Amino acid sequence: MSFEFFLPCPRGLEAALAAELAEIAARHLNGAPFTAGAQVPGGVHFRGGWAAGMAANLHSRLASRVLLKLAHQPYRSEQDIYALALEQRWEQWFSANETLRVDVTAIKSPLRSLEFATLRVKDAICDRLREVSGERPNVDTAAPDVRVFAFLTATDCTLYLDTSGEPLFKRGWRLDKGAAPLRENLAAGILRLTGWTPGTPLYDPMCGSGTFLAEAAQVALNVAPGSERRFGFEKLRQYDRSVWQGLKAAALDAKKAAASSRKDLQIFGSDISGDMLDKARANFQRAGLPSIVLKQVDARGMSAPIATPGILVANPPYGERIEVRGRGPRGEIRETGRDRREDRDSREARDTRDSRDDDGFRRVHTDAPPDSEFFKALGDSLKQRFTGWHAFILTSDRKLPGQLRLRESTKTPLFNGALECRLFRFDLIAGSVRQRPAGDTPAA
Ligand SMILES: C[S@@+](CC[C@H](N)C(=O)[O-])C[C@H]1O[C@@H](n2cnc3c(N)ncnc32)[C@H](O)[C@@H]1O
């Protein structure tokens, strides 16, 4: 039996996800049905059997969910949506004993209230199950057994049954997040866009809680991203335990084979904050990735962690500045020039939130523009000490190349949640680093 699946992903990663799915089908499905489908903004379709749906959940690093498409029809009112949901054979998938959550998302829907539409889908499912079994399922928005998604356009309603449960970027090992962690599937997608492959040195000089590094190490060690978590499909009637156990066992064998032939990972990270590095270490420990090399370094003075050039990847702070606050000979906290300036400037002091890491670095969260001195120094480090490297920097700030005084080779639009970003690529080729004069026209 073949189903239609839709896999949402961060916008900008659709082509990368389609390529990943084709690889998953070739590597893990042993000829089980799989047909690639269309890429649409924010996701990718495919057709396949139940095993393909489970394999996508287990192996996709880029998808946010694996949704099973149940129905698609034009609508004009909430009543049309109720009728469409009522006619679905929900009893084929789950019983009234399972708890339920319904989510409705919409683009240009004429409906006044999405909450009311959500209620109508939930009512239809409950009414249907009561009709066939005499019982209604309970709603649980926090930890439901079953999730149903409705997607509304201006004219059409699509109903999906979720097979993932928690979103797939939750790999099951991260506890320590840090201030602004990237979602794992966005980090994995960016790694794919950089063209990095295991064996090539990888360095994140502002690694925070270590998302790029952990995703890269899992690729290098052949760890299936879903191997440490549970999935929504385990609660559905169609759940085939033996097929699932077979997929997991094969993933475990692949991981063991990679571990036995493992060489030095050549994956390096640094951050100015020792506190963040502790979080990263704790995450790597839980994920079983202890061999990533971490150092406390200010990125302004960074140098290449290894002689062989590789890929540098980072998402620098934005709207946040971090100042080194060293301790003097008697242990006193030394103020930087900026600290004194900020203390004098009462308006700015009002607009900032100040927090301090355990290690004495002072984090100043602010809506002011990012520090141009910081990016100039970062650009100088790249030019002077990263010859032969390819640097990829994700930011929502289109002026980044000008601030680094570097000319980008490419810029790829990507969405970090709702935030529109660019992934800038800088090729730091010997003798031909493309410099951008200060004040040059910002990148579009
Ligand atoms: C947006 S976060 C990166 C998040 C990271 N990708 C993750 O997934 O957790 C930016 C990081 O830059 C670090 N940072 C800020 N200023 C720095 C500097 N001068 N040198 C090195 N790291 C710095 C912060 O401590 C923070 O961890």
Side-chain angles (χ1 to χ4, degrees), residues 174 177-178 180-183 204-212 270-273 276 297-300 314-318 320-322 357 363 374:
R174 187 205 280 277
K177 286 199 181 121
L182 273 188
R183 286 192 169 165
D204 179 353
M206 284 163 271
C207 68
S209 59
T211 317
F212 282 124
S270 58
D271 199 283
I272 197 169
S273 160
M276 290 307 304
V297 173
D298 183 337
R300 288 173 284 199
N315 73 305
Y318 184 73
E320 173 195 55
R321 294 177 314 212
I322 297 188
D357 280 348
R363 308 169 74 91
F374 170 79

